[in-house]
């Protein structure tokens, strides 16, 4: 099973990189002068069956007009079937959340999450550092455990990636049954400011 899990993850990673290139995510955001950073499971090489690609994009000022202009460019791609915006620019999170759904004939429906932040804001670089620390902490055994738990997760369950990483890397969880119990005693709400 271990080999199959790694092969399946590698296949989803290949799909995701192809979509990122076809969507030209970096180019789209560069139209407004943004710096684009990959975060999440794709950046860490921990992608499994949950088709979700994550980016943080940074500009010197957080402009709704510029953010919408970048997404207008992305919306023209024929594979983009839906776009959703959550404007949190006036909150302490100081960001604009974009979610785009990409329909791919070969690999199905994907969600591309792009969080537009201001350089120097509270969360600038945090999740990038978290990804670096997680990757540095991984062993072949913990990588396999994380991918296995992600694989076992039913498609309808939306579990934040940080739950898997905390459970395995911090608390030694290895089996699905342990993970179910761990989640029951470690509810997650809001942003989790944790890294190994």
């Amino acid at each position: 099973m271990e080999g199959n899990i790694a092969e399946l993850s590698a296949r989803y990673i290949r799909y995701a990189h192809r979509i990122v290139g076809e969507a030209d995510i970096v180019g789209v955001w560069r139209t407004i002068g943004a710096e684009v950073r990959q975060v999440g499971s794709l950046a860490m090489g921990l992608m499994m069956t949950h088709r979700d690609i994550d980016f943080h994009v940074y500009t010197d000022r957080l402009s709704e007009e510029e953010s919408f202009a970048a997404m207008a460019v992305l919306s023209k791609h024929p594979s983009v079937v839906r776009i959703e915006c959550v404007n949190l620019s006036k909150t302490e999170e100081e960001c604009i959340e974009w979610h785009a759904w990409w329909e791919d004939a070969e690999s199905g429906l994907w969600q591309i999450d792009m969080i537009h932040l201001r350089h120097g804001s509270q969360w600038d670089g945090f999740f990038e550092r978290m990804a670096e620390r997680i990757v540095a902490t991984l062993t072949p055994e913990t990588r396999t455990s994380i991918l296995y738990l992600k694989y076992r997760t039913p498609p309808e369950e939306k579990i934040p990636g940080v739950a898997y990483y905390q459970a395995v890397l911090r608390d030694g969880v290895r089996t699905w049954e342990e993970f179910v119990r761990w989640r029951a005693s470690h509810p997650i709400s809001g942003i989790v400011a944790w890294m190994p």
Side-chain angles (χ1 to χ4, degrees):
M1 185 64 171
E2 182 177 322
N4 292 340
I5 290 282
E7 289 165 21
L8 186 59
S9 175
R11 185 186 322 149
Y12 279 99
I13 288 169
R14 284 193 301 274
Y15 286 149
H17 281 302
R18 181 174 49 77
I19 290 166
V20 168
E22 286 182 19
D24 191 22
I25 299 295
V26 173
V28 162
W29 285 100
R30 282 190 178 154
T31 63
I32 64 164
E35 178 189 356
V36 182
R37 303 178 195 163
Q38 186 124 60
V39 294
S41 62
L42 181 57
M44 294 182 279
L46 292 170
M47 181 168 274
M48 190 35 80
T49 53
H50 184 62
R51 297 176 176 95
D52 187 33
I53 303 169
D54 300 295
F55 291 93
H56 282 181
V57 295
Y58 295 88
T59 49
D60 290 335
R61 66 190 186 101
L62 193 59
S63 160
E64 287 94 342
E65 292 79 9
E66 289 181 350
S67 201
F68 272 81
M71 289 306 292
V73 174
L74 182 63
S75 73
K76 293 176 183 173
H77 197 290
S79 293
V80 174
V81 296
R82 180 176 157 210
I83 290 178
E84 184 178 287
C85 174
V86 181
N87 189 345
L88 301 172
S89 61
K90 306 296 190 282
T91 71
E92 67 175 31
E93 292 180 38
E94 202 175 342
C95 69
I96 302 171
E97 286 186 16
W98 289 101
H99 309 283
W101 282 263
W102 175 282
E103 188 123 38
D104 186 276
E106 184 182 352
S107 58
L109 189 66
W110 289 73
Q111 183 173 323
I112 306 172
D113 296 328
M114 295 153 284
I115 312 302
H116 183 185
L117 301 120
R118 181 182 59 78
H119 275 299
S121 59
Q122 177 183 0
W123 297 104
D124 184 348
F126 176 83
F127 293 96
E128 293 87 333
R129 289 190 299 277
M130 177 193 284
E132 290 170 3
R133 293 278 294 274
I134 288 169
V135 169
T137 305
L138 286 173
T139 65
E141 189 251 347
T142 56
R143 176 183 293 277
T144 299
S145 296
I146 289 167
L147 292 177
Y148 170 74
L149 293 174
K150 288 185 171 189
Y151 176 77
R152 284 289 311 269
T153 302
E156 66 277 4
E157 282 198 55
K158 305 299 181 198
I159 300 175
V162 70
Y164 301 101
Y165 313 140
Q166 278 186 318
V168 171
L169 299 175
R170 187 188 69 190
D171 297 334
V173 169
R174 295 295 182 267
T175 69
W176 178 251
E177 294 71 24
E178 289 173 343
F179 186 56
V180 169
R181 290 193 298 271
W182 184 91
R183 285 188 64 218
S185 60
H186 297 82
I188 290 178
S189 62
I191 296 174
V192 178
W194 168 87
M195 62 177 75

